[in-house]
Amino acid sequence: MSAVTIAVLSQKGGTGKTTMVRSLTDVFGRLGLDVLAVHADPQGNLSDYFDADPEASPTLGDVLQGQARAADAVHGPVIPANLALSEAELALAGKIGREVTLRRALMDLKRSKDMILIDCPPTLGLLTVNALVCADHAILSTEAQYFSLQGVEQAMEVVDLARDSLNPDLELLGVCLNIANMRTRHARHTLQTLEERFGDRMFHTVIRQSIAYAESAERAIPILDYRPDRGSDYLSLAGEISRRLERPDLLERLDDLSAEVVPAGARS
Ligand SMILES: Nc1ncnc2c1ncn2[C@@H]1O[C@H](COP(=O)(O)OP(=O)(O)OP(=O)(O)O)[C@@H](O)[C@H]1O
Ligand SMILES: [Mg+2]
């Protein structure tokens, strides 16, 4: 068995990618899967969300530079990164096989883990391409903004490119509207536009906007523990992902988990 490997990406910053990786790592972990989160963003904060030791070493940068084995860079549920990852990305740019470096590096871990979630940077550059070449599925996260459609289309082009060139097995798992305030007409209109354009590739789950995410990130507490009524959005997304991955076994466990963590009165 090889780990289900999912890259979470977007064409721009601040669309909730890192929060999605953090929350899905938590949810699928609670379902009994051995999940690894890979922090592939030099600027990002996934490692903080997991409360990883900022001095943890080796990191993804060392792995991509060939200075450490990926297995040695696993610290708890995450392969962390820091600013040194941008140096590694630059160094990678001049090398043969630069697009397949992450795939090669994670090969062994893929055999031992059940699921790997890769948190991409907010650009469609070499790190994102590495994530897409390594993954078998991609999830696009998008905010309800005026240029959402264009951003999703650009990200999709990169997914297509990775599939057509180096990773024929890559599948787009879906597009998720994230950080959305569905009380605004604008967000509802964005969702409608995205649904018209992308049809059943849109996830039905919308991750609602809530200050609870920033608060829980600051405290390095999973959203399901901090505000289960909000975290239920990620339970619902995990359900759709499980269905698209054809894993009915996960759906059963997810029902039990929902009943356990989301108080009946708080469901919304
Ligand atoms: N559903 C949500 N509602 C409100 N705020 C959210 C939600 N999800 C994430 N956030 C907050 O929005 C900010 C950006 O989220 P996050 O870091 O997950 O985005 P990102 O796409 O990874 O950003 P970057 O592209 O910079 O890496 C953070 O402060 C986070 O706590
Ligand atoms: Mg991020």
Side-chain angles (χ1 to χ4, degrees):
M1 267 292 283
S2 172
V4 177
T5 306
I6 305 175
V8 176
L9 73 152
S10 64
Q11 169 268 351
K12 67 186 272 291
T15 63
K17 297 178 287 299
T18 300
T19 305
M20 182 176 289
V21 167
R22 203 279 175 253
S23 305
L24 291 176
T25 302
D26 177 52
V27 172
F28 284 110
R30 289 179 200 235
L31 299 183
L33 299 191
D34 185 0
V35 190
L36 174 70
V38 177
H39 183 173
D41 179 7
Q43 301 284 346
N45 36 18
L46 179 70
S47 304
D48 301 340
Y49 284 21
F50 283 104
D51 218 8
D53 178 357
E55 303 295 320
S57 169
T59 61
L60 187 65
D62 303 308
V63 173
L64 292 182
Q65 301 238 49
Q67 290 158 356
R69 290 172 51 236
D72 296 328
V74 175
H75 305 277
V78 65
I79 294 187
N82 52 37
L83 273 175
L85 182 57
S86 17
E87 279 168 46
E89 186 184 18
L90 274 179
L92 211 57
K95 291 199 176 134
I96 292 179
R98 58 188 183 171
E99 290 99 350
V100 296
T101 309
L102 185 64
R103 174 160 79 188
R104 286 191 184 140
L106 294 187
M107 209 123 72
D108 286 344
L109 282 174
K110 271 199 180 200
R111 277 193 281 270
S112 62
K113 296 282 170 185
D114 298 318
M115 181 179 272
I116 298 177
L117 297 167
I118 308 175
D119 181 25
C120 293
T123 52
L124 299 173
L126 189 52
L127 283 170
T128 298
V129 169
N130 261 274
L132 289 172
V133 170
C134 176
D136 31 57
H137 295 90
I139 294 179
L140 305 188
S141 178
T142 179
E143 250 188 304
Q145 299 290 345
Y146 284 100
F147 297 109
S148 296
L149 191 65
Q150 220 179 325
V152 173
E153 273 172 351
Q154 282 174 13
M156 260 182 204
E157 276 170 30
V158 177
V159 172
D160 290 344
L161 209 66
R163 184 194 303 111
D164 295 345
S165 53
L166 289 156
N167 190 5
D169 296 333
L170 181 65
E171 266 179 55
L172 176 67
L173 205 50
V175 180
C176 182
L177 187 63
N178 206 340
I179 320 186
N181 179 355
M182 297 312 282
R183 284 188 295 264
T184 67
R185 253 181 40 170
H186 173 58
R188 292 196 299 272
H189 180 247
T190 305
L191 181 61
Q192 195 189 345
T193 313
L194 289 168
E195 279 171 344
E196 278 164 15
R197 175 72 183 79
F198 303 116
D200 59 9
R201 280 176 296 178
M202 284 305 292
F203 285 110
H204 298 296
T205 305
V206 169
I207 306 295
R208 291 166 297 170
Q209 182 181 56
S210 164
I211 187 70
Y213 285 96
E215 292 169 353
S216 69
E218 202 178 317
R219 294 165 175 79
I221 300 172
I223 192 71
L224 270 188
D225 288 326
Y226 187 71
R227 277 287 299 277
D229 58 322
R230 289 292 162 170
S232 63
D233 290 351
Y234 275 106
L235 292 175
S236 152
L237 180 62
E240 282 193 77
I241 291 171
S242 303
R243 242 172 263 127
R244 291 183 188 197
L245 291 174
E246 298 178 22
R247 290 289 303 267
D249 55 316
L250 294 178
L251 286 172
E252 274 173 36
R253 284 182 251 163
L254 201 54
D255 280 345
D256 295 342
L257 177 63
S258 305
E260 188 187 313
V261 295
V262 187
R267 272 177 217 156
S268 46

